[in-house]
Every structure is written in structure tokens, then in C-alpha cells.
């Protein structure tokens, strides 16, 4: 049973953790660490650290998968000392989560601050791993690790780009957890930002519409995506993006799921399915946004979903269509569409 005992237990800590479910307990603990600098500093003493260098996480290879090493506070201090860095550097770390047992997890970038950047190859040799671009590594990470590293990358990047107040020009100061920055001269608080992006899988009943940008790897097609404009609802953004990119009008919008996507900046991907208006299937590609767009049959998409291995391996097997990696929300939407189509065609037999 999960109970919240409110103000009665708000003495030493914010909440009486004993009575809460594991999930609520964890959530409340993270909330406390974000709000209370002293509690977060204490948690950081006993916490563990994920290391980055210029936003690339430290990873270790294990077969076809990547493992994500973590350092204890003592190990991190030893490492910093070995490379002539003060343990003060740990102040730059940001809180990215915690375990069920309330072990706090932090991320620290050793490469972003050019004044005190640590030489990458030496750290890699010392720790027996490599700093690998998260985008490149994403298909070889577990979903738990990738979600944690997505958060870490987004937060570290946001802090790096918000060192100064945009009104006063003065340096801003991060709170201990890194959940905000404050300008000491005017008390403006800056919170980490994400841009809402709509991503839509359009169908005409039998086929789905996929598109590619010239920057995509050869053969890769994805669902239509676009940033929401100021003042738009999700529905309006979907209709506009589809019209802008492929010249079609959509209806029957259905929310599917959402995902935080850290490349290149933090986006909140809001995934929806939609159908074209009856009789309207002729695509007119906006070449300023896309290189190509096309309708794909269930068989073509199902065959592409079955393909295994990295992009490079898939490109060499000669089939024309490549789909986004499993961790991308576009992959999830395409898979859901294939499953729904397959079920409805089986039901029709
Ligand atoms: N996770 C996934 O499955 C998945 C799939 C497709 C796209 N995406 C992501 O969705 C995002 C948007 O897709 P898109 O590139 O097709 O968008 P888009 O169609 O809106 O085109 C991008 C252009 O929009 C403009 N723009 C407007 N607001 C912007 C903002 N806040 N930030 C950056 N540019 C802005 C810029 O001119 C930019 O060149 C990309 O960052 C991409 O990485 C994720
Ligand atoms: Mg787009």
C-alpha cells in the first residue's frame, strides 16, 4: 500500500519516506534533492558519477552492447587528482536520477569547460573505456541506459549554453542538483528547456508515408517531424507540418506516445498517427525541408522492421528501406502501425 503522510512527518526530511511506494519514494526524494541544496550536496558525497567528455558518454564495449561505467565519489576524486584537477570540479555535476535505495546519480562533463578540460585519451586509458558520441552508440545501449544518458546529455548541454544571464549579461549560478540556474544580480531563474516537436505517422489506410532528409544515412526513412510554432496546439502543429512538408491534409489524429530526444538539442517528441483525407494521397515534397517522401506498403515496412544490425550492416544487405533505430520514437510508431495492420488483416480473414 502506498500512503503519503503529509506534514506530520515533515521534520528532518521533506517527507516520511517509510510509508510511500518505491516509485513515489524515489520521486519525492529526487524532488527534495532538486529543492534543497544541502540535501543534494550530502547525496553527492555518497553518489555515483557518469562521465562525459564534450557531451560524449564514457562507454565500455561488451560484445555488441555498450556498458556504462559509473564512478564512486572516491574514484572520481582520485581520477581528478591524478589529472591535476581540484575536487571542486565535482560542483559542475548534475543530478540525473537515483536508485530505489536512494543512491543519487550524477553526470559530469570533463571536456566542456575549455579552461579545465581533461585530455580525453588519458582518461580513456585510465578508465578502460571510450567517450563515444551518444548518437552513434544509441542502438547498442539498453533502453534504461540510453534514457539516463539522454537526460544527462541534455542537461549538461543546457548548462554549458546558459552560463550567462540573457538580461544582465552576468554569470548565472547553478543550484547543486543542476535543475535550474539563477542570475545573482536580478534573481531571474532559468530552467532547462525542451522544444516540443510533433512526429506523425500518416497512413492512407493501406500504406504509410515516410520521408528522408539529405542528412539522413543512405536509405533511411522516418515519420514526418517538425517543431511546434509558438501559439500552436499539437493538433495544429501536426496539420501544418504535414501540409508544409508533403502537401497533404490529415485528419483522425491519434496520440500514440512521447519521448525525450536530446539530438541536437532537447526536444519533447509528441508522437501521433493520422490519416490523409479521402482521395488525397498525391505527395508534393517540400524540397527545402526533405529530400524525398513516399508511400510504403505494409510488406515493405514489415520487411524493413525485421532487419538486424547497425545502419552500416543494413546498408550492405541491398534492401532499399532502412528504418530509425529501436530507441527512436519513430521506430515505435512504425512498429505499432505494422502490428495494427497485421492484426486487422488477420481479423478480416
Ligand atoms: N526520435 C525520433 O524518432 C525522431 C524522428 C525524427 C525527427 N526527430 C527530431 O525531431 C526534430 C525536428 O525534426 P525536423 O528537423 O524535421 O524539424 P522541422 O521540420 O521543424 O525542420 C527543422 C527546421 O525548423 C526550424 N526550427 C523551428 N523551431 C526550431 C527549434 N526550436 N529548434 C531548431 N529548429 C527549429 C529550423 O529552421 C530548422 O532547420 C529534430 O531535432 C530531429 O532530431 C526525432
Ligand atoms: Mg521536418
Amino acid at each position: 500500500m502506498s500512503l503519503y503522510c503529509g506534514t506530520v512527518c515533515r521534520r528532518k526530511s521533506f517527507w516520511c519516506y517509510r510509508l510511500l511506494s518505491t516509485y513515489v519514494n524515489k520521486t519525492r526524494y529526487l524532488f527534495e534533492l532538486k529543492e534543497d541544496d544541502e540535501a543534494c550536496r550530502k547525496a553527492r558525497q555518497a553518489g555515483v558519477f557518469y562521465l562525459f567528455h564534450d557531451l560524449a558518454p564514457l562507454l565500455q564495449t561488451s560484445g555488441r552492447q555498450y556498458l556504462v561505467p559509473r564512478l564512486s565519489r572516491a574514484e572520481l576524486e582520485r581520477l581528478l587528482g591524478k589529472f591535476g584537477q581540484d575536487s571542486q570540479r565535482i560542483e559542475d555535476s548534475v543530478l540525473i536520477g537515483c536508485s530505489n535505495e536512494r543512491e543519487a546519480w550524477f553526470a559530469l562533463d570533463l571536456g566542456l569547460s575549455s579552461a579545465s578540460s581533461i585530455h580525453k585519451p588519458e582518461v580513456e586509458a585510465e578508465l578502460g573505456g571510450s567517450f563515444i558520441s551518444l548518437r552513434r552508440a544509441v542502438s547498442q545501449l539498453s533502453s534504461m541506459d540510453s534514457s539516463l544518458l539522454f537526460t544527462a546529455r541534455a542537461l549538461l548541454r543546457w548548462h554549458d549554453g546558459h552560463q550567462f544571464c540573457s538580461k544582465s549579461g552576468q554569470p548565472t549560478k547553478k543550484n547543486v542538483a543542476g535543475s535550474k540556474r539563477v542570475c545573482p544580480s536580478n534573481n531571474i531563474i532559468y530552467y532547462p528547456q525542451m522544444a516540443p516537436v510533433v512526429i506523425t505517422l500518416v497512413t492512407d489506410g493501406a500504406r504509410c508515408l515516410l520521408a528522408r532528409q539529405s542528412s539522413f544515412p543512405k536509405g533511411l526513412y522516418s515519420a514526418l517531424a517538425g517543431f511546434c510554432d509558438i501559439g500552436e496546439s499539437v493538433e495544429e502543429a501536426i496539420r501544418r507540418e504535414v501540409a508544409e512538408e508533403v502537401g497533404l491534409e490529415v485528419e483522425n489524429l491519434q496520440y500514440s506516445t512521447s519521448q525525450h530526444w536530446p539530438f541536437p538539442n532537447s526536444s519533447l517528441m509528441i508522437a501521433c498517427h493520422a490519416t490523409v483525407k479521402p482521395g488525397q494521397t498525391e505527395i508534393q515534397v517540400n524540397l527545402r525541408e526533405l529530400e524525398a517522401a513516399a508511400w510504403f506498403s505494409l510488406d515493405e515496412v514489415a520487411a524493413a522492421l525485421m532487419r538486424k544490425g547497425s545502419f552500416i550492416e543494413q546498408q550492405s544487405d541491398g534492401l532499399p528501406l532502412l528504418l530509425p533505430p529501436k530507441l527512436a520514437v519513430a521506430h515505435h510508431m512504425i512498429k505499432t502501425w505494422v502490428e495494427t495492420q497485421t492484426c486487422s488483416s488477420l481479423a478480416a480473414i
Side-chain angles (χ1 to χ4, degrees):
M1 188 167 72
S2 49
L3 276 175
Y4 160 49
C5 59
T7 50
V8 183
C9 300
R10 291 180 75 169
R11 254 174 283 150
K12 277 195 185 136
S13 185
F14 276 19
W15 321 103
C16 179
Y17 291 109
R18 267 180 311 119
L19 300 175
L20 303 173
S21 75
T22 306
Y23 173 72
V24 176
N25 188 337
K26 221 167 102 166
T27 310
R28 292 273 168 90
Y29 181 56
L30 285 172
F31 174 80
E32 180 182 346
L33 298 187
K34 288 179 199 162
E35 294 296 309
D36 181 342
D37 279 353
E38 215 29 67
C40 193
R41 219 170 261 121
K42 206 169 140 208
R44 206 170 54 187
Q45 281 300 121
V48 296
F49 296 82
Y50 291 81
L51 295 187
F52 284 71
H53 197 286
D54 273 330
L55 301 178
L58 178 76
L59 302 175
Q60 286 169 341
T61 312
S62 166
R64 293 178 71 89
Q65 281 291 107
Y66 281 122
L67 301 179
V68 193
R70 300 143 26 122
L71 271 66
S72 68
R73 169 90 186 206
E75 287 167 332
L76 180 57
E77 284 184 358
R78 214 174 305 125
L79 181 84
L80 292 171
K82 183 159 184 168
F83 293 101
Q85 303 269 319
D86 200 278
S87 58
Q88 186 74 14
R89 187 75 195 266
I90 297 172
E91 298 274 318
D92 294 339
S93 62
V94 292
L95 177 71
I96 54 168
C98 76
S99 71
N100 289 345
E101 294 71 38
R102 297 210 262 153
E103 173 191 64
W105 302 334
F106 294 85
L108 177 66
D109 198 298
L110 300 174
L112 278 178
S113 157
S114 53
S116 49
S117 172
I118 299 182
H119 202 44
K120 193 162 84 167
E122 288 165 20
V123 185
E124 290 178 328
E126 177 69 22
L127 296 174
S130 305
F131 292 102
I132 297 172
S133 144
L134 188 50
R135 198 160 202 159
R136 247 186 60 210
V138 90
S139 58
Q140 284 153 272
L141 286 165
S142 73
S143 58
M144 239 182 77
D145 283 343
S146 65
S147 157
L148 200 64
L149 295 180
F150 278 12
T151 306
R153 185 192 189 277
L155 209 46
L156 290 167
R157 184 183 166 111
W158 181 81
H159 280 282
D160 188 49
H162 290 79
Q163 301 282 311
F164 295 91
C165 172
S166 57
K167 195 163 175 73
S168 69
Q170 296 298 310
T172 53
K173 192 173 178 326
K174 96 178 205 346
N175 68 339
V176 176
S179 57
K180 60 186 169 190
R181 299 189 74 89
V182 181
C183 173
S185 73
N186 56 23
N187 289 326
I188 293 179
I189 304 173
Y190 293 91
Y191 292 100
Q193 290 157 343
M194 298 191 285
V197 172
V198 288
I199 177 158
T200 315
L201 190 66
V202 179
T203 71
D204 70 351
R207 302 170 297 172
C208 76
L209 198 165
L210 301 174
R212 56 173 279 107
Q213 296 178 3
S214 54
S215 58
F216 286 7
K218 193 169 156 255
L220 177 71
Y221 279 76
S222 186
L224 299 173
F227 291 94
C228 295
D229 279 350
I230 290 275
E232 269 182 341
S233 67
V234 166
E235 293 80 356
E236 287 165 340
I238 291 173
R239 289 206 174 92
R240 176 186 53 74
E241 274 297 330
V242 176
E244 252 177 43
E245 298 197 344
V246 292
L248 293 172
E249 287 194 46
V250 285
E251 56 186 13
N252 302 322
L253 311 186
Q254 275 194 344
Y255 171 76
S256 169
T257 185
S258 67
Q259 174 188 48
H260 169 241
W261 189 247
F263 312 114
N265 286 315
S266 243
S267 299
L268 176 62
M269 307 294 306
I270 304 158
C272 293
H273 293 267
T275 57
V276 278
K277 288 200 168 165
Q280 269 197 29
T281 53
E282 196 182 325
I283 298 168
Q284 290 183 26
V285 179
N286 180 343
L287 294 171
R288 289 174 75 144
E289 299 244 358
L290 299 174
E291 187 182 77
W295 290 106
F296 290 87
S297 70
L298 178 61
D299 287 350
E300 285 171 302
V301 179
L305 268 181
M306 305 285 282
R307 297 168 77 180
K308 302 229 169 349
S310 67
F311 277 142
I312 310 277
E313 286 163 340
Q314 290 189 29
Q315 275 165 343
S316 62
D317 72 12
L319 287 168
L321 177 61
L322 233 76
L323 296 176
K326 279 202 177 82
L327 285 166
V329 73
H331 182 101
H332 173 83
M333 297 169 78
I334 294 166
K335 189 162 172 269
T336 306
W337 177 73
V338 167
E339 284 164 0
T340 318
Q341 289 294 104
T342 313
C343 286
S344 50
S345 53
L346 282 178
I349 293 171

PDB file of all heavy atoms in Angstrom, residues 213 225-226 241 245 289-290, ligand 2:
ATOM      1  N   GLN A 213      15.519  13.233 -44.940  1.00  0.00           N
ATOM      2  CA  GLN A 213      16.262  14.467 -45.164  1.00  0.00           C
ATOM      3  C   GLN A 213      17.598  14.080 -45.773  1.00  0.00           C
ATOM      4  O   GLN A 213      18.070  12.947 -45.569  1.00  0.00           O
ATOM      5  CB  GLN A 213      16.490  15.200 -43.836  1.00  0.00           C
ATOM      6  CG  GLN A 213      15.204  15.654 -43.173  1.00  0.00           C
ATOM      7  CD  GLN A 213      15.423  16.338 -41.835  1.00  0.00           C
ATOM      8  OE1 GLN A 213      16.547  16.540 -41.400  1.00  0.00           O
ATOM      9  NE2 GLN A 213      14.336  16.683 -41.174  1.00  0.00           N
ATOM     10  N   ALA A 225       8.414  14.892 -39.031  1.00  0.00           N
ATOM     11  CA  ALA A 225       8.597  15.555 -37.735  1.00  0.00           C
ATOM     12  C   ALA A 225       8.761  17.049 -37.940  1.00  0.00           C
ATOM     13  O   ALA A 225       9.189  17.496 -39.009  1.00  0.00           O
ATOM     14  CB  ALA A 225       9.827  14.996 -37.033  1.00  0.00           C
ATOM     15  N   GLY A 226       8.405  17.812 -36.912  1.00  0.00           N
ATOM     16  CA  GLY A 226       8.599  19.252 -37.023  1.00  0.00           C
ATOM     17  C   GLY A 226       8.394  19.961 -35.689  1.00  0.00           C
ATOM     18  O   GLY A 226       7.608  19.504 -34.848  1.00  0.00           O
ATOM     19  N   GLU A 241       2.669  20.893 -40.215  1.00  0.00           N
ATOM     20  CA  GLU A 241       3.911  20.218 -40.630  1.00  0.00           C
ATOM     21  C   GLU A 241       3.670  19.283 -41.815  1.00  0.00           C
ATOM     22  O   GLU A 241       4.452  19.263 -42.761  1.00  0.00           O
ATOM     23  CB  GLU A 241       4.518  19.422 -39.467  1.00  0.00           C
ATOM     24  CG  GLU A 241       5.423  20.230 -38.558  1.00  0.00           C
ATOM     25  CD  GLU A 241       6.662  20.785 -39.255  1.00  0.00           C
ATOM     26  OE1 GLU A 241       7.162  20.161 -40.209  1.00  0.00           O
ATOM     27  OE2 GLU A 241       7.120  21.867 -38.852  1.00  0.00           O
ATOM     28  N   GLU A 245       5.409  19.911 -45.370  1.00  0.00           N
ATOM     29  CA  GLU A 245       6.457  19.000 -45.834  1.00  0.00           C
ATOM     30  C   GLU A 245       6.051  18.145 -47.025  1.00  0.00           C
ATOM     31  O   GLU A 245       6.867  17.877 -47.900  1.00  0.00           O
ATOM     32  CB  GLU A 245       6.954  18.124 -44.672  1.00  0.00           C
ATOM     33  CG  GLU A 245       7.577  18.969 -43.568  1.00  0.00           C
ATOM     34  CD  GLU A 245       8.432  18.184 -42.590  1.00  0.00           C
ATOM     35  OE1 GLU A 245       8.337  16.954 -42.540  1.00  0.00           O
ATOM     36  OE2 GLU A 245       9.215  18.836 -41.854  1.00  0.00           O
ATOM     37  N   GLU A 289      12.804  21.219 -47.154  1.00  0.00           N
ATOM     38  CA  GLU A 289      12.790  20.503 -45.868  1.00  0.00           C
ATOM     39  C   GLU A 289      13.212  19.041 -46.019  1.00  0.00           C
ATOM     40  O   GLU A 289      13.826  18.475 -45.124  1.00  0.00           O
ATOM     41  CB  GLU A 289      11.377  20.522 -45.289  1.00  0.00           C
ATOM     42  CG  GLU A 289      10.852  21.906 -45.009  1.00  0.00           C
ATOM     43  CD  GLU A 289      10.617  22.122 -43.531  1.00  0.00           C
ATOM     44  OE1 GLU A 289      10.821  21.200 -42.741  1.00  0.00           O
ATOM     45  OE2 GLU A 289      10.233  23.250 -43.179  1.00  0.00           O
ATOM     46  N   LEU A 290      12.820  18.437 -47.122  1.00  0.00           N
ATOM     47  CA  LEU A 290      13.019  16.991 -47.288  1.00  0.00           C
ATOM     48  C   LEU A 290      13.731  16.676 -48.601  1.00  0.00           C
ATOM     49  O   LEU A 290      13.613  17.435 -49.564  1.00  0.00           O
ATOM     50  CB  LEU A 290      11.659  16.271 -47.301  1.00  0.00           C
ATOM     51  CG  LEU A 290      10.784  16.390 -46.061  1.00  0.00           C
ATOM     52  CD1 LEU A 290       9.432  15.737 -46.338  1.00  0.00           C
ATOM     53  CD2 LEU A 290      11.440  15.738 -44.849  1.00  0.00           C
TER      54      LEU A 290
HETATM   55 MG1  LIG B   2      10.658  18.000 -40.531  1.00  0.00          MG
END
